[in-house]
Each structure stands twice: as structure tokens, then as C-alpha cells.
Amino acid sequence: MRPAIFLPPPDPGCVLLILVSWLLNPARSEITSLDSGNIDDILNNADVALVNFYADWCRFSQMLHPIFEEASNVIKEEYPDKNQVVFARVDCDQHSDIAQRYRISKYPTLKLFRNGMMMKREYRGQRSVTAIADYIRQQKSNPIREVNDLEEIKSLDRSKRNIIGYFEQKDANNYKTFERVANILHDDCVFLSAFGPISKPERFSGDNVIYKPPGENAPDMVYLGSMTNFDLTYAWTQDKCVPLVREITFENGEELTEEGLPFLILFHMKDDLESLEKFQQEVARQLISEKGTINFLHADCDKFRHPLLHIQKTPADCPVIAIDSFRHMYVLPDFSDLAIPGKLKQFVLDLHSGKLHREFHHGPDPTDVAPGQPIQDLASSPPESSFQKLAPSEHRYTLLREKDEL
């Protein structure tokens, strides 16, 4: 049964014009329709696949169809091999099992796959032929910069995460594994490589991969696992490239909200790295067991002034720690509370138990009131969620459901 969705009516003239143009100018190439019988085979054999998850009754899906097909035509002229780039689509009404498998919650959703592996970041850019074609060209570009002199390593941007591979041969299996990992994680790390005589000083006991973390004085970390084992290499690299505490920006806000987890956020001034380091250390010390139930983030106070105003704070009050549950925002009373053992973890546990929500509406829980002290029902109105506004918009997608949040 289709969900009840209330959207502003589309411009009939605009939609009709696009659809008529699509019918009168049929695509020169066929978009591959995926079903449960062919999806694994087609995606596993494609270097890059862009899949449109759609529903025929969705007006945004209808408008995307001709654009998606024309972008496919443009790209197939540049990459004629059918396995280099695949443009495919899934009718989610007809194949609800596939939609559930990939957790589709809005139409249309454009997901990127590499050799059958779904990438974490879906396409959220402009829905135009040029933008989609440029996106695919970017995905097909080499994610690894080749180093021609080891002196180049000394001038790396140490504000970024750098993964460097030193290999004897470019056509060896060790490098092919490294290349697969780089294709997946190139948005999170800078990947570099050196070969042959150039890399020899760094290959003491064979091919070598090292991680240079942010910070001029941060020590290197060496990968000690099998160089041909993709799963081990990917897991190690992902751990280095995707930090436990991520930065939220206006560019990745929609992606982070769609993960569906509440936010634990440190608001700090951009140059206040000391507070960020303390927050990172306490999250790692107290909250590693909560990973998967809440997102650990940090945000630039100047850029996110509006959420601060929601909790009656300004950049002058930073650093500030808050939780956004997508319904309300809750503030840790004082940043110095971070130094109290277990305080940060209790703050998160109080969110999950509903205690933060209850106390904002009714005052302290009875268990927190001193013996003999009268219990008062203090009605209050907690600040509404600010980051929920970064979630996918009903003016761009047909949203299937709303998640229940604390």
C-alpha cells in the first residue's frame, strides 16, 4: 500500500513538456532495468554503476527519467565498454525487496556502486545531464596520485588524512587491492603511490602502505596485514580515513541526517583544536560502545550560528556540547563537565532512556530529587531540532516515511 504523502502539486506544463520531449526523442541507449534475478550479476561486473531507485507515480522520478537517459547517452559515448559504466534503474513498486535491501526511503534515490559494492555516499547533486555526466567522469578519474620523487611526501597537506602506498610493480595484485580501496574511500583520504626505484627506500621488507594522520607531528601508522586481502586492507584504511568524530557541514548535512541517528555535536571555533581533541578523546574513551546508536560530530560555531541560537547560545559561548534528536535539542550544562568521568556517556544514555525528553517537559526525574524535597511538575518547551532542516526536502524528493525520534 502506498504511503499517504502530501506534496505541492507539480507544474503540469513543465512535467508534460519533459515527458513529451522524452517520448518524441527516444534514448539512443537502454537503461538497464534491475530485478532480483539480474541485479547481482550486473552490478558485480560493472566498474561503476549509477542506479536510479524510483516509483512511476512519483513526480520527481518522472522528471528525472529523460535526464538520466540523456546522461547515460553522453557517458556511453565516452565509455563504450558496457562494463565500464552502467546506468540502471529499479522500479521500487515492482521490486520492493530490492528497495528494502538498499533501505530506500525516498524517490528518486541515485546510488553509486563499484564492482557490486554500494558506496556510502549517494548522488545528491543537481539533476541535470551535465551535472550527472560530470559526476560519473569524476568517479572514473584515477583516485591515486603517483609520486615521482619522495621529496613530494614532505610537502603533503598535513591537515588531511594521507594514505601512501609504496610498490615494486604497478601491475601486481598488491597495487590492485590498494586501487580498489582508494576508489571507495577517495572522498575521505588522499591516496598516493610510488613505484620501482622511487619507492625502494620505503620498501624495507616488500610493498608497504602507511597512513599519515592530520598534524605535522602525528606519527605514521603502518599497515601490517595481507596486501592482497581486500577486506583486511579496506577495514584498516576505513578506520584511518573515517574518524569516529566527523565534521558536519552544509555539504554533508543531508547525508548525515539520513543515517537516522541522533547527533552528539561539539560546537567549537575553527581554530579551537584543543577542545576538539578533548571531545574526541572522551568520545573514544566513554562512547565507543554507543557507535551505531548516535553520530559523533563537530561543527564550526561561525558556520552553524543558527543551531546555536536555537539553544540560546552564540559563538562567544563555544565550545558547547549538544544533542539533536531530530525532534529536540538538549545541551550539556557546561563544557567542563567533559572532564567528569562518565558524564558524557550518561548524557547520551539519558537521551536513549527518554530522561532528557521527560525532564525538559516535566522537570527532574523523581530519582534525581533529594529526599524530603517536593516534586514539581515544571512544564517547559525544549528547543526544536535545528539539524532536521538539513534532511532531504519534500521539494526535491517524495519522502516515504518519517522516523520516530526522541
Side-chain angles (χ1 to χ4, degrees):
M1 181 177 179
R2 292 175 187 165
I5 301 167
F6 300 94
L7 292 170
D11 180 346
C14 178
V15 175
L16 182 62
L17 180 62
I18 292 174
L19 293 177
V20 168
S21 174
W22 184 31
L23 292 170
L24 294 179
N25 297 281
R28 296 187 300 276
S29 60
E30 187 70 27
I31 301 295
T32 304
S33 293
L34 301 179
D35 55 43
S36 56
N38 67 6
I39 185 168
D40 291 328
D41 182 59
I42 289 173
L43 296 184
N44 289 340
N45 287 294
D47 294 341
V48 171
L50 187 63
V51 181
N52 175 18
F53 293 84
Y54 73 96
D56 277 332
W57 49 266
C58 163
R59 68 176 178 125
F60 300 111
S61 296
Q62 294 165 7
M63 295 171 70
L64 178 61
H65 281 319
I67 296 169
F68 193 69
E69 291 200 355
E70 184 56 33
S72 171
N73 293 333
V74 170
I75 288 299
K76 286 185 179 180
E77 288 182 1
E78 300 175 24
Y79 301 96
D81 186 329
K82 67 177 183 178
N83 288 331
Q84 283 185 299
V85 179
V86 170
F87 277 70
R89 62 189 173 199
V90 174
D91 183 334
C92 294
D93 275 348
Q94 296 295 322
H95 305 288
S96 58
D97 57 328
I98 298 178
Q100 291 174 9
R101 174 180 173 182
Y102 293 109
R103 298 182 181 180
I104 303 303
S105 61
K106 64 187 187 308
Y107 301 138
T109 293
L110 296 178
K111 288 190 176 290
L112 184 77
F113 294 79
R114 290 183 179 276
N115 302 111
M117 185 175 184
M118 185 180 74
M119 298 296 97
K120 183 176 181 180
R121 291 184 175 91
E122 64 188 54
Y123 178 75
R124 300 176 187 271
Q126 184 181 6
R127 291 175 189 158
S128 70
V129 173
T130 300
I132 293 175
D134 285 346
Y135 171 74
I136 294 298
R137 292 186 190 103
Q138 182 183 18
Q139 298 304 316
K140 289 295 292 180
S141 63
N142 191 343
I144 305 170
R145 178 165 71 86
E146 186 171 341
V147 173
N148 297 311
D149 189 326
L150 292 185
E151 288 296 312
E152 295 178 35
I153 303 298
K154 297 179 181 179
S155 59
L156 291 179
D157 183 349
R158 293 308 299 269
S159 68
K160 298 181 178 179
R161 294 173 167 78
N162 295 278
I163 302 284
I164 309 168
Y166 299 98
F167 303 95
E168 182 178 2
Q169 296 178 338
K170 197 169 188 176
D171 58 355
N173 288 333
N174 285 353
Y175 180 70
K176 290 178 181 177
T177 301
F178 184 75
E179 194 172 34
R180 281 185 65 193
V181 171
N183 272 319
I184 297 169
L185 295 172
H186 63 87
D187 287 332
D188 302 293
C189 268
V190 175
F191 286 84
L192 305 99
S193 62
F195 303 95
I198 295 172
S199 67
K200 190 173 183 180
E202 296 290 340
R203 291 187 287 107
F204 306 110
S205 56
D207 290 350
N208 189 27
V209 173
I210 68 167
Y211 166 61
K212 287 184 175 293
E216 292 294 337
N217 301 317
D220 294 349
M221 300 181 190
V222 181
Y223 174 61
L224 301 175
S226 168
M227 298 283 286
T228 56
N229 187 313
F230 169 77
D231 291 334
L232 285 178
T233 307
Y234 175 74
W236 181 86
T237 309
Q238 183 187 44
D239 181 63
K240 304 297 178 285
C241 292
V242 183
L244 184 61
V245 178
R246 295 176 286 175
E247 181 178 11
I248 184 169
T249 64
F250 290 111
E251 288 72 29
N252 68 4
E254 181 179 283
E255 171 191 326
L256 290 172
T257 58
E258 202 170 9
E259 290 181 12
L261 299 177
F263 291 170
L264 174 67
I265 312 173
L266 167 70
F267 295 93
H268 67 104
M269 301 305 292
K270 186 176 181 180
D271 57 355
D272 181 12
L273 300 181
E274 181 181 354
S275 295
L276 175 58
E277 185 176 356
K278 288 180 180 178
F279 182 68
Q280 290 170 328
Q281 289 173 349
E282 290 306 316
V283 167
R285 181 180 293 118
Q286 300 184 40
L287 294 172
I288 194 70
S289 63
E290 296 301 313
K291 185 179 180 182
T293 68
I294 191 166
N295 270 326
F296 311 119
L297 307 171
H298 67 100
D300 185 329
C301 283
D302 278 328
K303 291 181 179 178
F304 286 91
R305 288 171 176 263
H306 185 69
L308 283 172
L309 288 174
H310 259 60
I311 53 176
Q312 299 181 339
K313 302 287 184 181
T314 70
D317 297 308
C318 290
V320 173
I321 296 174
I323 286 175
D324 191 317
S325 72
F326 298 152
R327 179 174 292 178
H328 298 300
M329 293 186 72
Y330 310 97
V331 184
L332 190 70
D334 196 286
F335 180 77
S336 61
D337 290 347
L338 200 62
I340 302 174
K343 186 75 172 181
L344 188 64
K345 183 169 185 176
Q346 192 59 53
F347 185 46
V348 172
L349 293 179
D350 287 347
L351 169 76
H352 294 322
S353 70
K355 182 179 178 181
L356 291 180
H357 188 71
R358 290 194 304 272
E359 289 191 342
F360 261 107
H361 284 290
H362 306 296
D365 273 4
T367 54
D368 296 334
V369 178
Q373 183 178 345
I375 300 174
Q376 293 182 329
D377 191 359
L378 302 174
S380 67
S381 179
E384 293 184 355
S385 168
S386 183
F387 287 91
Q388 176 65 25
K389 297 179 178 66
L390 297 180
S393 169
E394 64 178 13
H395 300 297
R396 180 173 166 81
Y397 300 100
T398 298
L399 307 177
L400 299 187
R401 63 183 179 275
E402 291 185 1
K403 299 179 177 67
D404 293 327
E405 304 292 346
L406 292 174

